[in-house]
Amino acid sequence: AVVAFKRCGQMVMCPAPANTMLCLYHCPPLSPLTLQFKGQANLHVFEDWCGTSTADLRKNLHYPLYPHSRTTVQKLAVSPQWTNYGLRIFGYLHPYTDGTAFTLSAQKRYFFEVIHKQNDRGTDHVEVAWQLLDRSFRFTVIESKHISLYVDESDLRMSYVTHIPQTAASHEHTSSKQRRAAVDMLREDPRDTLYQVHLINSKFLQGILPDCTYNPTYTIKDYPLLRYQGLQFVQLSYIYPNDYTRLTHMEGENTCFYPESSYYKKMTEFKYEGSVKKVESKKTKVRSAKRQKVKATIKPEQTNSSALIGNGEIKAKQQLGVLPQRPGSKQHRNRRYSKTNHTQIQKLNESPVESQDRHDGAVPQKPTAANRQNTRGKTFKKESYLRGEWDHAGEEDGDHNRTESRGNATRGDSDSMWEQQGDMAMDPDEEDLTPAPVFDTRVNWNQTFQVNHLDLQSRRSDWIDLSCNVSGNLLLNPSDALTVVYAFMDRLNEKHKGRFTLVRVLNVVKRVDGYRGSRYLLELELKDANGQLLRLTHYIYTLIRHNPLRNQDFIFERSQPQLVLCNPVGFRWNPDATVHFIVPVKNQARWVQQLITDMEEVFRETGDSNFNLIITDYGSTDMDVEQVLQKSSLPRYQYVKLSGNFERSAGLQAGIDLIHDDHSIVFLCDLHIHFPSSIVDTIRKHCVEGYMAFAPIVLRLNCGSTPSDARGYWEVNGFGLLGIYKSDLDAIGGMNTREFRERWGGEDWELLDRILQGGLEVERIYLRNFFHHYHSKRGMWNRKMSASQT
């Protein structure tokens, strides 16, 4: 069978998939037009793509229509001495005589295609030979006089693809459902289609909660930052329920442990049951007494408190967190962030615990290919009440463990000192020559053991962990999420007399602030009195309130904190905001076409026409970008042609300058991105004008991997994909086009510095089905080709 291929008919032969395939097809009789193309065959090259078989080649997003290069060969033999590439040689075969092995006629022509996939090892060569019956049955490579072009592509742009034959051998045969089963994130999730549910009328959300000022402690407006220091002031948010962004299928290649300390190693040990008498040495007793003393000092800071939700409507329904560390304690001083005492903060940054948590705490360098994660400069920590015991409010199992782990990490060195001093060395002159008695250990053969479950995921902090890139989103404790949801629903139905019923909790996002109160994004599916399904996507604030009380001695004491649900004034997302995707390009026809196709798919699936694709083009010659945009089904687009060498910052700024609505959202984008259908809605609800920008974490696919076989790593330290309101971007000065001209890498971190200094916070979450395609960098932008090494 032949797929979308009109010139040739029945397949003569085509072997099962291997690393090289030769397929032949019957074709119509010869014509004068065909004869003028004799002596050559078409060659399409797909560079920098991993894998061993032709099936791996078919996974390539651009196979077979958009090769990296198109050229010709003069005989059916290729040996480029290269690695990780795929070839497709096709054209017409003209037999010199009738064949016998399988029927070939010298009076006919046959369409042929040779498909070859080379991996990163071995000898790369492709040869197609036939057996000459009149020359002692020798095999000879098929030469130019027996082949002809399928089509002359010398004057065709790379964007013109209608002439390229698509045969049965050109398409994937493996079921996509079988591949998707191996990747947790590819399972269906109601978040992916949340945009399909009609939003509740905003009038029903007015007056539900009392108003309160939104002023989190982690914003650093006008605070001086060193270059690229903003990364240290970005936190991750917590997600409920599990969105399966954790790359469980990759953990064999990159296993993460949170954190490595004596406490967690102790947690994984076997706990033996039964009585076993041990002879304790003096050294052991001293260490044991020391540990007991340390635990006694930590214990008061781990006391859980009952919380009042919604002005006391739900009293101690569930525990939402623990008390902050005592003011004045070492941990509290090391965690606290002060905008005024700069010198004190620098001294506090010497904490060894903090250095361990933040990978030595050094300031990152300008990220390059070689040192993206390296650091430089002074040790400078992000200090905030977030690092206190309210750090993970509601995650009861983790709070106790985190606090004690910090204590154990701090006292690790002192334990080793005790070991050295416990048994003093004896003077050789005073040594007793009588051998000491030897004790044989008594074995309890009936002894058993227990193993405590250790949930490593719950031990993660909300710092960006540059050493682990497969973990996915931090998971919010269900008791935390559901308690806030139920409290809000009580207030909603109190206001509207039970009009709405909670169908399911679709998504809860928590941003922790352990001193003033945490912010929640609630996404709920509701049913109204008429049975209509509605979506509620709404931000609320859990304000921490401390009430002073008098005791019997008339001395003021601070009571246990109460969590009060309130409406953060001004912190509201706009469901109608236009989202402008800005992409600078140059000579990337296949990727530009893929981008346009993907955005058409977003529009087709969502029906959301309130987005705009802006392409700034540095004089592409491989396709007419504007013409392709005109022929597309995009609801809205803008195009601007630029001159000179490719400059990412300048290209983005040129797109920003085309936007006249200051209250719309700019999404600074890359060319090689695969978007989930929900991307426009997701960007809108995580950008808040005057308050918050959105930097979703993208999954960078490995060489040879596709979205349906998502193997790769989360780009945890990249901020090049960023959503921000136009008014906020203008207020901080836009893109830095002066420093970042003919280079790229670092402009994203520099922009992040200014966003944070401007008083905005940056929402940072791992985004489902959001991929950065693996792509070849050969021939991109300002890269030049060196001479052949052959």
Side-chain angles (χ1 to χ4, degrees), residues 46 57-68 589-595 672 773-775:
F46 301 84
L57 177 58
R58 285 195 292 269
K59 294 178 184 177
N60 189 302
L61 187 67
H62 303 301
Y63 182 84
L65 297 181
Y66 293 95
H68 195 273
R590 57 195 177 282
W591 287 109
V592 172
Q593 182 61 63
Q594 187 64 42
L595 170 68
H672 312 97
H773 291 291
Y774 183 88
H775 61 91

Side-chain angles (χ1 to χ4, degrees), residues 17 74 79 108 116 316-317 413 427 466 471 514 522 612 647 721 730:
Q74 295 183 351
S79 182
K108 296 181 180 179
H116 173 69
K317 188 171 183 179
D413 295 336
D427 190 329
L466 299 180
S471 295
L522 304 184
N612 179 30
E647 299 178 21
L721 305 170
D730 287 344

Side-chain angles (χ1 to χ4, degrees), residues 666-679:
V666 176
F667 190 76
L668 308 177
C669 196
D670 192 7
L671 179 60
H672 312 97
I673 302 299
H674 171 81
F675 298 102
S677 299
S678 58
I679 186 64

Side-chain angles (χ1 to χ4, degrees), residues 470-701:
V470 299
S471 295
N473 279 314
L474 298 166
L475 300 183
L476 181 60
N477 192 300
S479 65
D480 185 336
L482 297 179
T483 300
V484 174
V485 168
Y486 295 148
F488 179 82
M489 287 300 302
D490 288 346
R491 295 300 301 269
L492 179 67
N493 282 315
E494 179 183 343
K495 175 78 173 180
H496 299 294
K497 305 184 186 307
R499 176 170 182 168
F500 301 101
T501 302
L502 176 64
V503 177
R504 57 179 171 173
V505 179
L506 298 171
N507 188 41
V508 178
V509 182
K510 178 183 180 180
R511 183 67 176 273
V512 176
D513 185 342
Y515 184 71
R516 290 182 180 156
S518 299
R519 185 193 72 231
Y520 290 82
L521 172 63
L522 304 184
E523 298 202 84
L524 314 175
E525 188 175 56
L526 309 178
K527 183 180 293 185
D528 66 8
N530 299 323
Q532 181 183 8
L533 289 179
L534 298 172
R535 168 167 65 116
L536 182 146
T537 300
H538 189 58
Y539 283 102
I540 66 171
Y541 204 22
T542 56
L543 188 65
I544 300 176
R545 186 171 62 188
H546 300 272
N547 294 325
L549 299 177
R550 289 181 183 270
N551 64 5
Q552 295 179 353
D553 298 326
F554 297 99
I555 298 176
F556 282 101
E557 289 184 348
R558 185 177 293 274
S559 67
Q560 291 184 347
Q562 298 178 350
L563 301 186
V564 180
L565 297 190
C566 61
N567 171 49
V569 176
F571 198 93
R572 181 176 298 177
W573 73 290
N574 180 6
D576 299 318
T578 300
V579 179
H580 302 271
F581 294 83
I582 305 178
V583 186
V585 304
K586 180 175 183 177
N587 285 336
Q588 292 284 293
R590 57 195 177 282
W591 287 109
V592 172
Q593 182 61 63
Q594 187 64 42
L595 170 68
I596 295 173
T597 300
D598 287 350
M599 297 305 290
E600 287 176 320
E601 183 68 15
V602 169
F603 174 55
R604 186 161 44 250
E605 291 192 10
T606 65
D608 189 339
S609 60
N610 208 9
F611 72 89
N612 179 30
L613 177 60
I614 301 176
I615 294 182
T616 58
D617 179 18
Y618 280 91
S620 293
T621 58
D622 59 351
M623 76 180 301
D624 188 333
V625 177
E626 187 173 21
Q627 184 182 64
V628 175
L629 285 169
Q630 291 171 348
K631 294 181 178 180
S632 73
S633 60
L634 292 173
R636 182 177 172 188
Y637 67 86
Q638 287 175 277
Y639 172 82
V640 58
K641 190 169 186 177
L642 305 175
S643 60
N645 293 329
F646 181 88
E647 299 178 21
R648 185 175 190 269
S649 291
L652 291 172
Q653 188 60 51
I656 296 169
D657 293 340
L658 295 179
I659 303 172
H660 302 296
D661 180 7
D662 291 342
H663 305 294
S664 59
I665 300 172
V666 176
F667 190 76
L668 308 177
C669 196
D670 192 7
L671 179 60
H672 312 97
I673 302 299
H674 171 81
F675 298 102
S677 299
S678 58
I679 186 64
V680 179
D681 182 69
T682 300
I683 293 172
R684 284 197 193 106
K685 64 192 176 190
H686 291 294
C687 290
V688 179
E689 189 170 11
Y691 290 90
M692 186 168 73
F694 179 44
I697 302 177
V698 67
L699 178 61
R700 186 178 287 270
L701 295 173

Side-chain angles (χ1 to χ4, degrees), residues 329-492:
S329 68
K330 179 179 179 181
Q331 291 91 342
H332 184 275
R333 293 196 306 271
N334 286 347
R335 296 293 185 177
R336 181 170 180 174
Y337 164 69
S338 169
K339 296 184 180 179
T340 57
N341 196 341
H342 185 84
T343 304
Q344 181 183 8
I345 291 176
Q346 287 181 323
K347 292 180 179 179
L348 294 177
N349 289 331
E350 302 302 325
S351 165
V353 179
E354 285 292 338
S355 297
Q356 178 184 358
D357 289 347
R358 291 297 294 157
H359 310 285
D360 299 331
V363 178
Q365 293 183 9
K366 299 178 181 180
T368 65
N371 64 5
R372 182 74 175 180
Q373 296 184 10
N374 292 343
T375 56
R376 68 170 184 174
K378 298 180 180 179
T379 300
F380 189 91
K381 287 268 109 31
K382 175 181 176 183
E383 305 296 338
S384 143
Y385 285 103
L386 292 177
R387 308 269 65 79
E389 285 301 311
W390 280 92
D391 212 10
H392 302 271
E395 300 179 55
E396 296 86 356
D397 295 338
D399 290 327
H400 173 91
N401 299 332
R402 291 188 191 92
T403 305
E404 192 162 318
S405 71
R406 292 166 184 157
N408 277 277
T410 306
R411 65 177 181 269
D413 295 336
S414 58
D415 273 354
S416 61
M417 293 175 62
W418 277 97
E419 291 180 8
Q420 296 172 7
Q421 298 174 3
D423 296 328
M424 301 299 293
M426 186 177 292
D427 190 329
D429 296 334
E430 299 179 1
E431 183 175 358
D432 188 355
L433 298 179
T434 303
V438 177
F439 296 93
D440 292 327
T441 303
R442 184 185 302 275
V443 180
N444 182 356
W445 295 104
N446 295 321
Q447 183 174 255
T448 61
F449 63 85
Q450 291 180 345
V451 180
N452 288 342
H453 173 68
L454 181 60
D455 185 0
L456 300 181
Q457 187 78 351
S458 68
R459 265 65 182 179
R460 294 176 60 200
S461 72
D462 53 356
W463 289 104
I464 294 179
D465 188 352
L466 299 180
S467 67
C468 184
N469 50 31
V470 299
S471 295
N473 279 314
L474 298 166
L475 300 183
L476 181 60
N477 192 300
S479 65
D480 185 336
L482 297 179
T483 300
V484 174
V485 168
Y486 295 148
F488 179 82
M489 287 300 302
D490 288 346
R491 295 300 301 269
L492 179 67

